[in-house]
Amino acid sequence: MAKNINKDVVYKAAKSKEKDYMLNDGGGLYLFVSKNGAKLWRLIYTFDKKQKKLALGSYPSVTLETARRKAEEARDNIANSIDPMAIRSEKKKVQQLLNSNIKRVADGLPILNSFADIARQWLESIEHLTKTTTQTKKISRLERLAFPMIGDIAINQIKSSEILAVIKPIIDKKQLETAHRLHSEISSIFAYAIVHNFTDYDPAQPVSKQIPAQKVKHRAAIIDPNQFGQLLRDINNYHGTFVVQSAFRFSPLVFQRPGEIRQLLWSDIDLEAREWRPYISKTDFHHIVPLSNQAIAILTDIKPLTGNSQYVFPSSRGDGRPMSDGTIRTALKSLGYESDVMTAHGFRTTASTLLNEQGWSPDAIERQLAHTPRDQVRAAYNRAQYLDERRRMMQQWSDYLDSLKNGAQVLPFKKIG
């Protein structure tokens, strides 16, 4: 097939006519001259038994030499079973994506199909299944720890080594729980990406073996009755603010989680019914805590001081917040009880151990500890289950603690039916 038929002067001299016409340069390349005077380079070729027409630009902006070079590149692609129009279409898509992403970044949005983009989609897909506080923590972890390093990378281009680079600094800081949580979230994002056809592989999988297993931390607790009696005497002699003294003395009587005690709301207390009805966020249900005479006495004594506040045990700063997270822990340390001996959470362990030894129903004890099934229907049923027994148990538990505090001889404790 003849090529390079004409010299440039031929194309330069071409004038418009009454009808459109073509000047053939050979090899499928020609100059299309329209009746309005436009001169456009075209390449006619056959691909997959279909005749196609490829635009190569206008003359003289695209010179004869350039047009011939573009035509030759297209012929080489055709010889290698590559459709030149498909290449152009792909380039156009890439440019459109680039332009779109430039606009998205300017608007504060993640790059399309990037890790951050797919992560946002995954977070939205699980929002209705996740508690607000948990969802907020997931978003924060990803934004702080993952997005700065891999957020802008295309989801299908991320390597295992890049994910390890995200996790490794957290491991080095010994923040293993955060490392495991973040790894799990990254892996979940890739699972979402796989089923939605954004990628076909989870590069986070090999990284899991690089994260050390997290050691289970057992919260220290005193379970010897005599030693616990001494602790109760020390608590009784604790010299702190009246609010902290009250919270400190209240903790062993109700043995609820420290966070729930420090955030105890007056609106959740019914002194007449002798009940505390907190919402337990950890297990997502409303609990009933029967209050003993001793617990009622503490609440009655502190009500003139904090009754106008939202919280029973408010912060000493007067800023409307509850008592700070480490208050009871600090109080224990001030009495000489380090965290390897006794913790604020340890009151729960002490109560569980001694009440089980004393023969109370394990189910009643578990309900009192607010350990509840995840099944919501069963949880609602269990909320009030064993309530009569728990009322008796809580009063006798408080009486028992008084006997320990007063230094009574420790005898086998039998519940009263």
Side-chain angles (χ1 to χ4, degrees):
M1 180 186 294
K3 291 188 286 186
N4 305 339
I5 293 174
N6 300 311
K7 293 184 178 180
D8 187 53
V9 66
V10 174
Y11 302 111
K12 190 174 184 179
K15 304 295 183 183
S16 59
K17 298 180 181 181
E18 290 184 3
K19 293 185 179 181
D20 300 338
Y21 67 96
M22 297 185 299
L23 291 174
N24 182 24
D25 194 61
L29 177 65
Y30 66 90
L31 184 71
F32 173 83
V33 183
S34 72
K35 58 185 178 182
N36 64 9
K39 298 178 181 181
L40 306 170
W41 293 111
R42 297 284 188 266
L43 178 69
I44 295 176
Y45 67 98
T46 301
F47 193 87
D48 270 352
K49 299 180 181 180
K50 294 180 182 178
Q51 190 176 77
K52 298 189 175 186
K53 192 183 296 182
L54 182 67
L56 298 179
S58 62
Y59 179 85
S61 296
V62 175
T63 64
L64 172 60
E65 181 183 1
T66 301
R68 285 173 175 172
R69 178 176 55 76
K70 287 184 175 184
E72 193 60 35
E73 290 174 356
R75 295 186 196 105
D76 289 342
N77 285 326
I78 294 166
N80 289 301
S81 301
I82 300 172
D83 185 356
M85 290 191 75
I87 294 176
R88 176 164 296 180
S89 177
E90 188 61 31
K91 285 182 178 179
K92 186 177 180 181
K93 288 180 183 177
V94 170
Q95 188 58 50
Q96 287 175 339
L97 179 62
L98 178 61
N99 293 339
S100 176
N101 282 330
I102 290 173
K103 185 177 185 305
R104 286 176 66 86
V105 170
D107 292 340
L109 298 172
I111 293 172
L112 283 172
N113 296 343
S114 64
F115 177 81
D117 181 32
I118 306 305
R120 297 288 186 196
Q121 294 182 39
W122 170 71
L123 286 165
E124 186 177 348
S125 74
I126 64 168
E127 188 172 12
H128 68 291
L129 301 171
T130 312
K131 290 189 293 186
T132 302
T133 52
T134 303
Q135 185 80 341
T136 300
K137 289 176 182 178
K138 289 179 185 291
I139 293 170
S140 175
R141 262 192 299 272
L142 289 167
E143 288 181 341
R144 289 183 296 105
L145 304 173
F147 287 1
M149 298 183 71
I150 60 174
D152 292 340
I153 303 177
I155 192 77
N156 61 356
Q157 298 296 318
I158 296 176
K159 300 175 182 177
S160 297
S161 59
E162 290 169 318
I163 295 175
L164 179 60
V166 171
I167 304 289
K168 187 69 164 57
I170 308 171
I171 297 173
D172 292 342
K173 292 178 183 177
K174 308 297 183 185
Q175 298 172 350
L176 298 184
E177 181 178 355
T178 300
H180 281 285
R181 287 183 186 276
L182 181 61
H183 174 267
S184 175
E185 287 154 0
I186 291 174
S187 190
S188 294
I189 291 166
F190 276 99
Y192 175 90
I194 290 169
V195 299
H196 287 86
N197 206 31
F198 292 110
T199 188
D200 55 9
Y201 170 64
D202 176 9
Q205 281 187 346
V207 179
S208 63
K209 294 184 179 179
Q210 304 303 312
I211 307 174
Q214 188 178 0
K215 294 181 180 179
V216 178
K217 291 183 179 179
H218 296 284
R219 297 180 176 95
I222 296 172
I223 58 174
D224 177 81
N226 289 318
Q227 293 178 14
F228 196 66
Q230 181 59 54
L231 171 61
L232 293 172
R233 288 190 290 277
D234 291 338
I235 291 174
N236 197 55
N237 294 322
Y238 172 73
H239 297 294
T241 66
F242 185 63
V243 169
V244 177
Q245 284 179 12
S246 300
F248 208 0
R249 288 162 46 217
F250 189 74
S251 295
L253 297 176
V254 294
F255 52 88
Q256 298 304 295
R257 294 178 179 88
E260 287 144 16
I261 292 174
R262 74 181 186 85
Q263 296 180 84
L264 173 56
L265 301 171
W266 278 115
S267 59
D268 289 340
I269 296 290
D270 188 334
L271 291 174
E272 210 170 299
R274 305 170 65 84
E275 289 179 352
W276 168 23
R277 293 175 171 255
Y279 169 71
I280 310 298
S281 59
K282 185 177 180 67
T283 47
D284 189 23
F285 86 118
H286 291 272
H287 188 32
I288 299 174
V289 181
L291 297 172
S292 65
N293 294 333
Q294 291 86 335
I296 291 289
I298 291 172
L299 296 174
T300 302
D301 287 346
I302 199 174
K303 191 168 186 180
L305 179 63
T306 68
N308 292 327
S309 168
Q310 178 184 9
Y311 297 103
V312 175
F313 306 118
S315 168
S316 59
R317 298 185 183 91
D319 53 8
R321 293 188 296 179
M323 187 174 67
S324 65
D325 187 29
T327 301
I328 299 300
R329 180 174 65 248
T330 302
L332 281 167
K333 284 188 176 182
S334 73
L335 295 176
Y337 295 90
E338 295 296 332
S339 57
D340 59 344
V341 176
M342 185 63 186
T343 61
H345 198 279
F347 290 118
R348 292 166 60 76
T349 303
T350 302
S352 176
T353 302
L354 296 181
L355 286 170
N356 273 290
E357 288 180 357
Q358 293 163 6
W360 291 95
S361 163
D363 288 327
I365 296 169
E366 288 298 295
R367 299 297 174 270
Q368 193 57 41
L369 289 165
H371 292 162
T372 186
R374 292 195 178 275
D375 180 276
Q376 293 300 310
V377 175
R378 190 178 172 200
Y381 170 74
N382 284 338
R383 182 177 64 181
Q385 197 177 19
Y386 303 102
L387 187 55
D388 287 340
E389 182 178 359
R390 289 194 286 126
R391 290 188 195 282
R392 296 193 302 273
M393 180 178 72
M394 295 301 284
Q395 183 56 58
Q396 291 185 43
W397 171 249
S398 292
D399 293 341
Y400 175 66
L401 295 187
D402 279 348
S403 70
L404 293 182
K405 183 174 63 176
N406 294 330
Q409 185 180 2
V410 178
L411 298 172
F413 180 80
K414 295 181 181 180
K415 67 170 185 171
I416 301 173

